[in-house]
Amino acid sequence: MTNLKYLDNLNKSQKEAVLCITGPLLIVAGAGSGKTRVLTSRIAHILNENKAFPNQILSVTFTNKAAREMQNRVSKILNNQEVGLPWLGTFHSICAKILRRHAKAVNLNQNFTIIDQDDQLRLIKSICNAENIDIKKISPNFIISLINKWKNFGWYPENVALKKSENLERNLLKIYKIYQSKLTDLNACDFGDLILHCVSIFEKNQDINEMYSKNFKYILVDEYQDTNFIQSKWLKLLTKNHDNICCVGDDDQSIYSWRGAEIKNFLEFDKIYNNTKIIRLEENYRSSQNILNVASELISNNENRLGKKLNSNQSQGELINLNCFKNGKEEAISISKVLENQISKKYSFNNVAILVRAIFQTREFEERFLKIGLPYRILGGVKFYERSEIKDCIAYLRIIYQNKDDLAFERIVNVPKRSIGGTSFKMISEYAKKNGLPLENSAKNLISLNKIKPKTKIGLSNFLNFLEKWRNDYFNKKIDHVKLLQIILDESGYSLSLKNKKDLENENRLENIKELLNAMKEFDNLESFLEHVSLATSVDNDWDGEKVNLMTMHASKGLEFDVVFLPGWEEGLFPHQKSIDEKGQNGLEEERRLAYVGITRSKHEVYISFSLNRFYQGDWIDSISSRFVDELPEKYIKKINNYEREEEEIFEFNQDLENEQDVYRSPGWLRYQKRLK
């Protein structure tokens, strides 16, 4: 190969990282510092210098998209030569390739099937059914997440280590044993098995381990801060003969511990690999210096980090805006005005993002944007009124309001489970069609004719009786529509079914339902609310054109925007109380890393805000600004007071006067005033 100019466009640190190809190397790559360029240039350099053949380079990414991008970039660097890199891919794709070759070592055939999450779910449900485990009380998704966690730790069923207090986990261990045995019988494995089986093969078959560790002269790993225990172990086993491993990542962007990521892998890299060299990429090509200064000072409060200081190649830029609002609704209104009156004149909406800590927070913004006709899209999630649990609640309300709403009836007749299966519903549907009846009336008639099976009859009768009772509650007893939904969720068992399924997905669903109850309070009656929902869901879902991006901070990682809004910086919400309760100081530091990720998504402008009063977890609370707000450096912050202190509002929010002066005494307000001085 001819000498190339792939080093010319690299800064000093980047060039050092590319040229240092001997021994273990950890590249601490700050946000926007060009880590992909370094990785691809490094591969090109190894090939150009004839240090290895393409099949002797193992390059691991976390997504197929990242792998394709790296492949294309390497080819471009090498004068558009088609360079085949057979061992460039995700952890799972590479391990699947290895496993196909050595399947017999783990009692599988070479043509084994890789099952997806849906297949996992069906298999777990069938096992639970056979073992008489009530899936209404223990979610199959929870069992799957537990099994995945054990596999991330490198545990087969016989290796699972449990604490005395983990009684639930101990009871579910037998499910794991049966599940793993079934997979073997089916000649199948799940995604967790791909890595676990490879590690097992390497540990039990030294000759196989030796063959691969000799072959891979160079190993490169992207996003190393997101690796879990078993991935780290797999990499270590592959460096037995050559220790030329280069891992790239940013410990300050480690935000996926809930998915099994171990920041310890990154922080203790030099303990895992002797004679490690550490290179820091600190020149940022994305954000203004003010943005980087704020992000750097905020993250410096974390103790568990290697440390770096980002410097921008851009201008100093705008100060970070810090805003205080009366409540979440005013926060959404104000941000929408800024978007319409300021941002739209300078930037494309496609390059503007609103990043929230919890997905339920999008509701306030969606409501406001729909009202004023501001286009938006939800990235990494579903629009509020299109979320399954919200549609379930709406369906319950629709069938109460109008008993001929067959679509609503069909959706919730067996939600939660009432033993009303497909065969029974088909009978109800056919009878309704034949006799020109609504589904509800059809079901009543079939019960009276004794055409429904006994077990189904019990569940269906209870459901129909509840419908009559709830209609009486609303139309005769004049129970308001908010209370009505609370009664429905309670008496139907819907809330309990979510509470019993102890996983993150169902916790989010409960939060969304609480936010729905908050939304309903803004309407005088059920009719007006249902009309609002119908109009909201009829909006064109076309993704084309200029649209503001709404997403969680987790979903924003790896993305960049011209302008970023970060609302809801309040204690309990951000940092999230659950994270602190479950993981203590480690949880707090991960939340702070999430704040760092949110801020560094922006190129030019950042708007951080909090509210003094927010409807959260089903109730109005006096909010206290996030501790992260206090950690923002004063000299890079522009403080804005958006709270109009009108006399009538003083009493509404239970805020007293002090010494005849219009002085607010809510904790959030007092705390914010100190920062304004």
Side-chain angles (χ1 to χ4, degrees):
M1 292 184 185
T2 57
N3 290 323
L4 304 174
K5 296 181 178 180
Y6 49 83
L7 300 176
D8 291 350
N9 295 323
L10 303 178
N11 63 41
K12 184 180 177 182
S13 297
Q14 289 174 332
K15 192 178 294 184
E16 184 184 6
V18 168
L19 296 176
C20 180
I21 58 175
T22 304
L25 174 66
L26 181 67
I27 302 175
V28 184
S33 61
K35 65 180 178 65
T36 305
R37 176 186 289 182
V38 169
L39 275 176
T40 52
S41 298
R42 189 179 167 88
I43 295 172
H45 181 66
I46 292 167
L47 293 172
N48 192 55
E49 294 296 309
N50 297 314
K51 296 293 184 181
F53 294 109
N55 71 330
Q56 294 175 316
I57 300 173
L58 172 65
S59 186
V60 191
T61 66
F62 270 85
T63 65
N64 291 315
K65 181 183 176 184
R68 286 194 300 272
E69 185 182 354
M70 285 182 67
Q71 176 72 67
N72 292 335
R73 286 201 186 190
V74 170
S75 295
K76 191 174 180 179
I77 292 171
L78 295 172
N79 292 335
N80 292 315
Q81 296 179 49
E82 288 294 328
V83 180
L85 294 167
W87 296 103
L88 189 159
T90 65
F91 279 99
H92 291 118
S93 67
I94 292 168
C95 284
K97 195 172 183 177
I98 294 172
L99 192 55
R100 292 280 180 206
R101 298 179 176 183
H102 312 285
K104 288 184 179 179
V106 285
N107 299 315
L108 292 172
N109 296 324
Q110 193 175 13
N111 63 341
F112 63 83
T113 302
I114 303 171
I115 66 171
D116 60 19
Q117 197 166 355
D118 286 341
D119 294 327
Q120 272 187 292
L121 193 61
R122 282 197 293 272
L123 183 54
I124 290 292
K125 282 181 177 177
S126 72
I127 295 170
C128 288
N129 186 51
E131 295 297 314
N132 294 316
I133 292 172
D134 189 353
I135 60 174
K136 293 179 183 177
K137 295 182 178 178
I138 300 176
S139 165
N141 282 317
F142 173 75
I143 298 172
I144 290 171
S145 68
L146 188 61
I147 290 172
N148 290 340
K149 184 175 80 172
W150 285 335
K151 290 184 177 183
N152 288 341
F153 287 153
W155 294 341
Y156 284 108
E158 60 270 21
N159 307 126
V160 173
L162 295 172
K163 299 175 183 175
K164 288 183 179 180
S165 59
E166 294 178 314
N167 293 320
L168 175 61
E169 287 82 354
R170 190 166 285 103
N171 293 331
L172 296 178
L173 182 55
K174 68 175 183 179
I175 302 294
Y176 183 19
K177 291 176 181 175
I178 298 169
Y179 171 77
Q180 215 56 22
S181 177
K182 290 265 187 192
L183 285 178
T184 303
D185 293 341
L186 292 166
N187 190 37
C189 63
D190 60 26
F191 283 98
D193 285 330
L194 293 173
I195 304 178
L196 184 61
H197 285 337
C198 278
V199 168
S200 176
I201 290 169
F202 289 163
E203 288 185 325
K204 294 178 181 179
N205 301 272
Q206 293 300 313
D207 56 333
I208 298 175
N209 187 191
E210 190 81 7
M211 178 177 67
Y212 285 98
S213 63
K214 277 185 176 178
N215 179 71
F216 295 136
K217 291 184 176 182
Y218 293 93
I219 298 175
L220 300 92
V221 186
D222 194 13
E223 303 287 2
Y224 186 67
Q225 79 281 345
D226 294 332
T227 55
N228 57 38
F229 174 83
I230 196 69
Q231 289 165 341
S232 175
K233 190 173 184 178
W234 178 75
L235 289 168
K236 181 63 177 174
L237 286 165
L238 288 172
T239 59
K240 286 183 70 175
N241 286 278
H242 304 286
D243 63 353
N244 301 322
I245 181 169
C246 169
C247 292
V248 183
D250 185 1
D251 51 326
D252 292 334
Q253 295 188 69
S254 179
I255 58 174
Y256 295 128
S257 67
W258 50 278
R259 287 197 324 209
E262 293 269 5
I263 192 173
K264 181 169 71 173
N265 293 342
F266 196 96
L267 298 177
E268 298 181 0
F269 185 87
D270 58 344
K271 295 179 182 177
I272 301 172
Y273 300 97
N274 295 326
N275 302 314
T276 289
K277 183 178 179 66
I278 298 176
I279 296 175
R280 289 171 170 81
L281 304 183
E282 297 179 314
E283 188 169 350
N284 177 283
Y285 295 90
R286 176 191 300 155
S287 307
S288 68
Q289 190 60 54
N290 278 336
I291 291 173
L292 298 182
N293 288 340
V294 168
S296 296
E297 191 150 336
L298 177 66
I299 201 64
S300 69
N301 291 280
N302 275 6
E303 294 178 3
N304 295 308
R305 60 189 294 264
L306 295 180
K308 61 184 173 298
K309 181 163 176 64
L310 295 179
N311 298 300
S312 176
N313 73 339
Q314 313 293 321
S315 65
Q316 198 69 24
E318 302 284 340
L319 295 173
I320 278 63
N321 296 278
L322 177 62
N323 300 316
C324 173
F325 300 99
K326 183 175 72 175
N327 53 46
K329 187 175 182 178
E330 286 204 358
E331 186 175 47
I333 290 171
S334 179
I335 288 175
S336 70
K337 288 179 179 177
V338 173
L339 285 167
E340 284 193 308
N341 301 330
Q342 300 173 39
I343 302 302
S344 63
K345 297 174 182 177
K346 297 166 65 178
Y347 307 103
S348 162
F349 278 166
N350 289 333
N351 292 321
V352 177
I354 299 173
L355 310 182
V356 297
R357 174 60 181 87
I359 193 64
F360 79 86
Q361 290 174 261
T362 67
R363 202 274 307 175
E364 293 274 21
F365 294 99
E366 290 188 62
E367 296 276 15
R368 178 63 185 171
F369 293 171
L370 287 168
K371 186 175 182 179
I372 64 174
L374 196 151
Y376 73 94
R377 63 173 68 88
I378 303 286
L379 289 183
V382 180
K383 290 185 175 182
F384 185 80
Y385 287 113
E386 294 172 6
R387 294 166 194 169
S388 63
E389 63 279 9
I390 302 301
K391 293 179 82 169
D392 289 342
C393 291
I394 300 299
Y396 269 109
L397 294 171
R398 279 170 48 188
I399 195 65
I400 299 302
Y401 187 71
Q402 212 273 86
N403 75 332
K404 295 181 180 180
D405 193 332
D406 285 354
L407 291 175
F409 183 92
E410 182 179 358
R411 183 176 183 91
I412 45 85
V413 66
N414 200 38
V415 179
K417 300 291 185 186
R418 302 185 178 94
S419 301
I420 305 167
T423 304
S424 298
F425 184 78
K426 186 179 178 182
M427 185 191 300
I428 296 169
S429 184
E430 287 177 350
Y431 185 89
K433 188 177 180 180
K434 183 179 178 181
N435 295 279
L437 296 171
L439 290 176
E440 185 179 339
N441 290 359
S442 173
K444 289 177 180 176
N445 286 2
L446 287 170
I447 288 174
S448 65
L449 294 169
N450 207 27
K451 298 288 187 179
I452 304 292
K453 292 179 180 179
K455 188 178 179 181
T456 302
K457 184 178 179 180
I458 294 170
L460 187 58
S461 297
N462 287 339
F463 174 63
L464 294 171
N465 290 335
F466 271 132
L467 290 183
E468 289 299 324
K469 188 261 181 187
W470 296 328
R471 285 195 188 105
N472 185 57
D473 286 342
Y474 182 68
F475 290 108
N476 298 325
K477 293 185 179 180
K478 305 298 180 183
I479 291 175
D480 76 80
H481 55 297
V482 180
K483 181 65 177 174
L484 175 67
L485 180 57
Q486 291 173 320
I487 292 170
I488 291 170
L489 292 170
D490 182 34
E491 294 181 347
S492 69
Y494 193 96
S495 291
L496 188 62
S497 69
L498 293 181
K499 289 175 183 174
N500 284 337
K501 296 174 180 178
K502 302 181 184 299
D503 58 34
L504 182 62
E505 184 180 356
N506 284 294
E507 287 175 11
N508 288 335
R509 285 176 176 171
L510 283 168
E511 280 200 334
N512 285 332
I513 289 172
K514 289 170 182 175
E515 185 61 21
L516 176 66
L517 290 165
N518 180 33
M520 291 173 66
K521 291 180 179 180
E522 298 178 16
F523 298 86
D524 294 332
N525 51 51
L526 182 57
E527 181 182 11
S528 60
F529 173 68
L530 290 176
E531 184 177 313
H532 168 76
V533 173
S534 298
L535 293 171
T537 53
S538 67
V539 175
D540 185 13
N541 288 323
D542 184 20
W543 275 58
D544 295 335
E546 298 283 309
K547 295 188 178 184
V548 175
N549 301 285
L550 271 71
M551 72 193 82
T552 63
M553 282 185 270
H554 282 102
S556 75
K557 188 170 177 292
L559 304 177
E560 61 181 36
F561 305 92
D562 288 330
V563 184
V564 165
F565 291 86
L566 298 165
W569 280 40
E570 299 130 32
E571 283 295 306
L573 180 55
F574 189 51
H576 204 285
Q577 193 60 46
K578 184 174 181 286
S579 184
I580 296 173
D581 289 344
E582 292 183 353
K583 292 177 277 188
Q585 184 64 23
N586 289 336
L588 175 61
E589 292 205 355
E590 181 159 341
E591 291 287 296
R592 191 176 281 111
R593 291 195 292 271
L594 193 55
Y596 174 87
V597 167
I599 293 170
T600 56
R601 295 313 88 198
S602 179
K603 297 179 183 178
H604 305 298
E605 295 185 41
V606 175
Y607 292 78
I608 297 171
S609 58
F610 64 93
S611 299
L612 302 176
N613 200 272
R614 187 178 294 275
F615 191 87
Y616 182 53
Q617 297 288 350
D619 201 7
W620 283 100
I621 59 171
D622 287 332
S623 303
I624 298 176
S625 59
S626 169
R627 68 191 74 187
F628 300 155
V629 170
D630 288 342
E631 293 171 1
L632 301 174
E634 296 278 348
K635 59 183 175 181
Y636 306 118
I637 300 295
K638 178 183 178 183
K639 307 180 196 80
I640 303 172
N641 182 0
N642 285 296
Y643 192 80
E644 298 294 331
R645 297 181 293 173
E646 298 177 6
E647 187 116 4
E648 64 268 23
E649 293 174 339
I650 295 169
F651 303 100
E652 182 185 348
F653 290 92
N654 199 26
Q655 295 165 326
D656 299 328
L657 296 179
E658 183 180 286
N659 299 328
E660 299 182 354
Q661 293 180 355
D662 191 10
V663 178
Y664 286 71
R665 300 186 63 188
S666 76
W669 181 252
L670 293 173
R671 193 168 178 179
Y672 187 65
Q673 289 305 300
K674 289 180 181 178
R675 294 188 61 84
L676 287 174
K677 293 177 181 177

